[in-house]
Amino acid sequence: MVNDNNTTTKPYIVKNADGVEYLLPYYPATFRALLDDKDTIRDLLNSILELDHDHEIVDLSYAFEKYIDVFMPGDEPMRLDVWVSTRDNRFMNIELQNREHPFFLDRMQLYNAYLTIRGKHDYNRSEQFLAMSEKEKMAHYYEVPETVSIWLCRFPILEPREIYKDTWTLYSKHDVKTGKALPLFPKNKYIIVDLVKFLKLRKGVNSREDFWLRLISRGPLEVPESEYPLLKNALDRLRVSNADPELLKKMEQFMFDEMHAYDAVIAENFLKGKTEGKAEG
């Protein structure tokens, strides 16, 4: 637990009872520091996706702040927080969101669209696809690989009280009405994690998912110490004494989300205030 006598002056650093300082992993730069390890990302994904032994991720590659070379209106590139490509050609994106902002659901769909397009681009250049005959390539012309958008939200987003995680995908309206709905296209889905609900519903750490989500949402002092190498190394990457000086410098300069999200919140508040002002005359 946090020792009140050992508080720090920096909002992104906490200190335990022994005086050891840790970075809080819910800022963009510190989140990347925590996930900068292939086995950590693999374990986090296998936990959140609840993959069994036959379907779990075995090997992957990853990139932070992945630029997607398809452009937004205005010629501004899209940038994904954590881009993951697995050995069996599954493509995933992990987004940590600290604040809600205008058109948040639109943003989720937009990111998913870029993920799908980039996944298709990379799949067509994979060893598996290139090994096909020309006829097979023609048959698979429209095939898209499995894509998953994962959104870790540090604000309320899920309505049902009893859940902290949900999967969104494409369903038939008719099937939903009849109560027999199954995903029409299970290869493309969104995993939404409401970290506010998670902290209310999941007390303590009883699983690997509990460990990762509590660590991401509350920080190193809120999870138990572990001698298991994977978990121990993850906490060690957050120790201030192990941090890259450039990371600490960056934290001093800019602690929050990318400017577009921040600017969208400011703009929405401005427009709301303008509308309220007109209403009051």
Side-chain angles (χ1 to χ4, degrees), residues 55-74:
H55 299 91
E56 68 180 7
I57 297 166
V58 176
D59 191 21
L60 58 82
S61 59
Y62 65 94
F64 296 124
E65 297 189 298
K66 174 78 170 180
Y67 281 93
I68 303 301
D69 43 10
V70 178
F71 291 95
M72 284 275 287

Side-chain angles (χ1 to χ4, degrees), residues 94-276:
I94 307 172
E95 294 287 327
L96 176 65
Q97 298 294 303
N98 284 317
R99 62 172 68 85
E100 191 172 12
H101 53 78
F103 301 104
F104 184 69
L105 296 181
D106 298 62
R107 182 185 182 189
M108 289 173 56
Q109 185 165 348
L110 186 61
Y111 277 41
N112 182 268
Y114 280 97
L115 172 66
T116 301
I117 292 171
R118 181 67 198 203
K120 173 61 174 171
H121 174 276
D122 286 8
Y123 170 66
N124 279 21
R125 286 154 181 78
S126 67
E127 292 182 6
Q128 176 185 340
F129 189 86
L130 294 177
M132 295 180 183
S133 68
E134 290 305 312
K135 290 291 186 183
E136 287 175 319
K137 288 178 182 178
M138 289 178 63
H140 289 263
Y141 183 79
Y142 288 109
E143 180 186 16
V144 296
E146 180 181 347
T147 53
V148 183
S149 295
I150 298 172
W151 293 77
L152 307 177
C153 301
R154 296 186 64 244
F155 53 84
I157 187 171
L158 296 178
E159 290 295 332
R161 295 182 179 181
E162 70 277 7
I163 65 170
Y164 64 86
K165 182 173 65 177
D166 199 8
T167 300
W168 298 351
T169 187
L170 183 65
Y171 290 94
S172 157
K173 182 178 180 180
H174 174 267
D175 289 347
V176 170
K177 285 183 177 180
T178 61
K180 299 178 181 180
L182 291 174
L184 294 177
F185 189 63
K187 289 167 62 177
N188 179 261
K189 56 191 173 187
Y190 307 77
I191 305 294
I192 315 302
V193 181
D194 186 324
L195 292 173
V196 176
K197 288 274 188 69
F198 165 76
L199 293 172
K200 290 180 179 178
L201 296 173
R202 302 287 292 181
K203 304 300 182 182
V205 175
N206 301 302
S207 67
R208 295 291 267 276
E209 183 186 61
D210 286 348
F211 179 90
W212 294 121
L213 295 185
R214 183 167 289 275
L215 175 60
I216 290 168
S217 59
R218 295 296 297 271
L221 305 190
E222 297 293 331
V223 296
E225 293 184 5
S226 174
E227 290 304 315
Y228 186 72
L230 179 64
L231 307 184
K232 183 176 184 299
N233 291 339
L235 294 177
D236 284 344
R237 284 195 297 279
L238 293 175
R239 289 183 67 149
V240 172
S241 59
N242 295 333
D244 186 333
E246 286 299 316
L247 168 62
L248 299 178
K249 182 179 179 182
K250 183 180 293 187
M251 292 304 297
E252 287 288 340
Q253 295 173 343
F254 191 60
M255 299 190 308
F256 301 102
D257 291 332
E258 74 277 42
M259 288 304 295
H260 286 305
Y262 181 74
D263 288 344
V265 175
I266 297 299
E268 183 188 39
N269 289 335
F270 171 80
L271 293 174
K272 283 182 177 179
K274 188 175 180 179
T275 301
E276 291 171 359

